[in-house]
Amino acid sequence: GLCSGTISLGFTEKLKSWLSWSWTYVCVVWFGMVLIMIYVLWSPLKLQETLTSVFLNTLTPKFYVALTGTSSLISGLILIFEWWYFRKYGTSFIEQVSVSHLRPLLGGVESNSTTGLFSSVNGEAEPRPSVSECKVWRNPLNLFRGAEYNRYTWVTGKEPLTYYDMNLSAQDHQTFFTGDTHQLRPEDAVMQKAWRERNPQARIRAAYQAIEMNHECAAAYVLLAEEEATTITEAERLFKKALGFGKDCALITGKDVNLLVYIKRRLAMCARKLGFSHLLTSLQLMKEFPLLGMLNIHENLLEALLELQAYADVQAVLAKYDDISLPKSATICYTSALLKARAVSDKFSPEAASRRGLSTAEMNAVEAIHRAVEFNPHVPKYLLEMKSLILPPEHILKRGDSEAVAYAFFHLQHWKRAEGALNLLHCTWEGTFRIIPYPLEKGHLFYPYPGCTETADRELLPSFHEVSVYPKKELPFFILFTAGLCSFTAMLAMLTHQFPELMGVFAKAFFSTLFAPLGFFADKMESFMLPSFWHQLTPI
């Protein structure tokens, strides 16, 4: 059976090879016959004179105006469609159709677009990361839905959160607030259903239902603080009530530790937003629950310490978390760059630096900025206010535009407070791209920049926000071609309409030049052919 299968497979391959060869042979024969036909009919039918008289003498200038104008209109419509398709999908429609449909018909092999974009150290090509490899993280500094996100919606009428983002939060709450015991209490079952509700009012009603079952249901008060409270003060009051019930529950049953950590963290954020002096609750939280580093509580701590301008404490936290074995973030990289830039930025001058060169401290600051920009290249435009900020999402993609929005939203004021820091960033951040190979075969200090960030960021960020894309996509050839064709034909239509006689002279010269090589070839072929052969073909 194996031998017969191998024989049939070999026969199929031979048949395909023979068909491919015969198709090529038929095309060559057909093309040769067309050339012979043109040669045979060139002199008897006076094709050159016929073409010249039809195109140049019979048709009026109005026809040429209509012809070039229609060509310009059609190419303009194709250009608009190509541009829209490129803006939405990031590729050319004509190129995509030709690669996916025409190339297999012509016997071509579809190339792997990811090959060569990323390569390993030994030079072997590695596939570009897929979307599934782009892990989405909970934003450590996410805002309050009722007191902040909903107020934005009331004022602007725009939804700052996407359904994908809110669905991720619902999944987080279901898993994070599930108790250690397998036996759920009735109010816990109601709250699990409440987190899954898509309608905010349904979630709030379910929270009140859980409170009716047990007035000490801490998770219900957390939901009300997050979504029903319209001010930070009201949210803080509800969180404090939830904290009291959560402590009692934890002391009695030893469960709901995650819920307790979440409540303390949000209380610390309430204190930060209200301007209270006890901003270091997150530090106490880290001491109480050191194993919860996965929650990135240190990012809350870094932002609070920067607000207090406790730069020595900031450096101490960075020394602990900016380690080669730990995952990086924009907060860690850019805070490190801010501290080093702050030491030299007040006296930094681009002109003076170009004359005398960079000092050691300035070089360290520039290298820190390059390191931060390589990790997340989207942040500088927000810090330099070259791009408008929006409310940060509840989840972020590290090294993506969503992380850049979340970082700049809270840390822009800290950069502004350090005199000259933004000036140093403005002068040096673009130099990063001269260090990194293009198109990003490998990184300089980090792994190659992942190619899945744009897709994930479009899911996390609202539709009214223009997602920042890196590396910048080059315009496809067909957009440039259709733009040139549209402009050229429009110019011809205008010139033909304004100067018909002059354009007629140019058209005659153009067609004469165009047909000259063909006439020269025909004359040469006729001189080589025997006169008797020509006379035999003439009656035919």
Side-chain angles (χ1 to χ4, degrees):
L2 181 62
C3 292
S4 61
T6 305
I7 293 172
S8 62
L9 182 62
F11 176 75
T12 304
E13 293 296 330
K14 289 182 179 179
L15 181 62
K16 288 182 179 180
S17 176
W18 182 83
L19 289 175
S20 176
W21 175 84
S22 62
W23 174 255
T24 306
Y25 178 75
V26 168
C27 290
V28 171
V29 171
W30 177 82
F31 184 71
M33 292 177 64
V34 169
L35 291 179
I36 293 174
M37 184 66 68
I38 292 175
Y39 168 74
V40 170
L41 299 178
W42 185 261
S43 293
L45 299 182
K46 300 181 179 180
L47 287 181
Q48 184 172 0
E49 290 79 1
T50 303
L51 291 173
T52 304
S53 61
V54 169
F55 281 99
L56 300 179
N57 300 329
T58 306
L59 302 177
T60 62
K62 291 184 179 181
F63 171 80
Y64 295 111
V65 173
L67 178 65
T68 52
T70 305
S71 302
S72 178
L73 177 62
I74 294 175
S75 56
L77 293 176
I78 296 174
L79 172 64
I80 294 173
F81 176 77
E82 276 281 295
W83 178 257
W84 169 81
Y85 196 88
F86 173 72
R87 295 282 294 180
K88 187 171 184 179
Y89 299 105
T91 185
S92 165
F93 176 77
I94 300 175
E95 182 179 348
Q96 185 180 20
V97 169
S98 63
V99 170
S100 58
H101 297 288
L102 299 182
R103 182 175 292 181
L105 295 176
L106 298 176
V109 181
E110 186 172 354
S111 62
N112 186 2
S113 60
T114 61
T115 304
L117 292 178
F118 296 94
S119 57
S120 59
V121 177
N122 57 8
E124 297 178 357
E126 294 179 350
R128 199 179 176 103
S130 64
V131 177
S132 60
E133 295 175 4
C134 288
K135 182 179 179 180
V136 176
W137 299 72
R138 180 82 176 184
N139 183 5
L141 296 170
N142 66 299
L143 304 179
F144 295 85
R145 286 191 185 176
E148 293 173 305
Y149 287 121
N150 285 349
R151 295 174 71 89
Y152 178 83
T153 303
W154 298 339
V155 173
T156 64
K158 298 178 180 178
E159 292 290 343
L161 297 176
T162 64
Y163 174 69
Y164 174 75
D165 192 14
M166 292 189 289
N167 188 49
L168 290 176
S169 298
Q171 296 174 16
D172 293 341
H173 293 148
Q174 291 177 68
T175 57
F176 199 63
F177 297 152
T178 301
D180 298 331
T181 59
H182 297 288
Q183 186 68 30
L184 289 177
R185 297 167 296 186
E187 61 270 21
D188 294 335
V190 171
M191 287 308 301
Q192 279 208 329
K193 182 181 178 182
W195 297 121
R196 291 194 298 267
E197 291 285 353
R198 184 170 182 178
N199 188 348
Q201 296 303 319
R203 291 195 293 269
I204 293 173
R205 284 195 299 268
Y208 278 114
Q209 182 183 352
I211 292 176
E212 289 178 1
M213 294 180 177
N214 181 6
H215 73 283
E216 294 186 355
C217 181
Y221 287 104
V222 168
L223 190 147
L224 295 178
E226 288 285 352
E227 303 205 26
E228 188 185 40
T230 56
T231 63
I232 300 297
T233 304
E234 186 180 355
E236 185 184 41
R237 179 183 63 80
L238 291 170
F239 274 123
K240 285 181 178 179
K241 185 179 290 189
L243 179 63
F245 297 142
K247 280 184 176 179
D248 295 339
C249 181
L251 289 173
I252 294 172
T253 64
K255 58 181 290 188
D256 295 333
V257 175
N258 290 342
L259 180 61
L260 188 62
V261 171
Y262 183 87
I263 294 171
K264 286 192 172 185
R265 179 180 188 161
R266 297 303 265 175
L267 277 173
M269 295 183 68
C270 288
R272 167 70 182 87
K273 293 173 185 295
L274 294 172
F276 295 162
S277 58
H278 51 287
L279 298 175
L280 302 184
T281 311
S282 52
L283 178 59
Q284 301 170 1
L285 197 64
M286 291 168 64
K287 291 179 179 179
E288 292 178 22
F289 307 100
L291 298 179
L292 293 175
M294 56 177 289
L295 301 178
N296 295 324
I297 300 175
H298 59 276
E299 298 203 4
N300 298 82
L301 178 60
L302 285 172
E303 201 278 326
L305 290 171
L306 287 171
E307 177 63 22
L308 295 175
Q309 301 185 44
Y311 296 110
D313 294 330
V314 172
Q315 185 61 54
V317 176
L318 285 178
K320 181 179 180 180
Y321 286 94
D322 194 2
D323 186 81
I324 192 171
S325 61
L326 296 176
K328 300 293 184 292
S329 67
T331 301
I332 289 176
C333 294
Y334 278 90
T335 301
S336 177
L338 174 60
L339 292 187
K340 293 181 179 178
R342 177 179 167 272
V344 298
S345 60
D346 56 338
K347 299 178 181 177
F348 177 78
S349 171
E351 295 79 12
S354 61
R355 288 195 306 268
R356 58 174 170 78
L358 295 175
S359 64
T360 303
E362 290 173 340
M363 183 65 70
N364 291 335
V366 171
E367 289 177 352
I369 290 175
H370 286 177
R371 172 177 179 262
V373 174
E374 180 182 350
F375 181 83
N376 193 317
H378 310 286
V379 172
K381 286 192 175 182
Y382 293 108
L383 292 181
L384 298 173
E385 299 182 81
M386 300 166 64
K387 191 174 182 184
S388 300
L389 270 174
I390 59 171
L391 296 186
E394 292 184 337
H395 288 79
I396 59 174
L397 180 67
K398 288 191 175 182
R399 306 188 74 177
D401 191 31
S402 52
E403 183 191 36
V405 169
Y407 171 79
F409 186 85
F410 293 99
H411 288 261
L412 175 58
Q413 57 179 331
H414 306 315
W415 279 82
K416 287 185 174 181
R417 188 180 293 123
E419 183 182 355
L422 289 176
N423 179 46
L424 180 60
L425 177 67
H426 176 71
C427 296
T428 57
W429 74 278
E430 291 181 325
T432 308
F433 306 119
R434 291 191 292 270
I435 301 174
I436 306 173
Y438 185 82
L440 308 182
E441 294 92 349
K442 57 183 178 180
H444 180 61
L445 298 172
F446 297 100
Y447 287 109
Y449 188 82
C452 58
T453 54
E454 180 184 359
T455 304
D457 280 332
R458 291 190 186 279
E459 295 287 337
L460 291 172
L461 295 169
S463 58
F464 58 83
H465 173 72
E466 183 181 354
V467 175
S468 177
V469 179
Y470 174 79
K472 185 178 180 181
K473 293 183 178 178
E474 297 179 355
L475 288 177
F477 165 76
F478 287 105
I479 288 183
L480 300 176
F481 176 76
T482 52
L485 182 62
C486 178
S487 304
F488 178 70
T489 52
M491 181 183 66
L492 283 182
M494 183 184 66
L495 291 176
T496 307
H497 182 266
Q498 294 293 329
F499 312 102
E501 295 82 5
L502 182 61
M503 290 302 295
V505 174
F506 280 114
K508 290 180 180 179
F510 172 76
F511 281 110
S512 300
T513 307
L514 181 65
F515 291 130
L518 191 59
F520 176 78
F521 174 76
D523 293 338
K524 288 295 183 181
M525 289 294 294
E526 187 175 355
S527 63
F528 284 116
M529 298 291 288
L530 295 175
S532 59
F533 179 73
W534 175 252
H535 289 298
Q536 291 175 3
L537 287 178
T538 302
I540 301 176

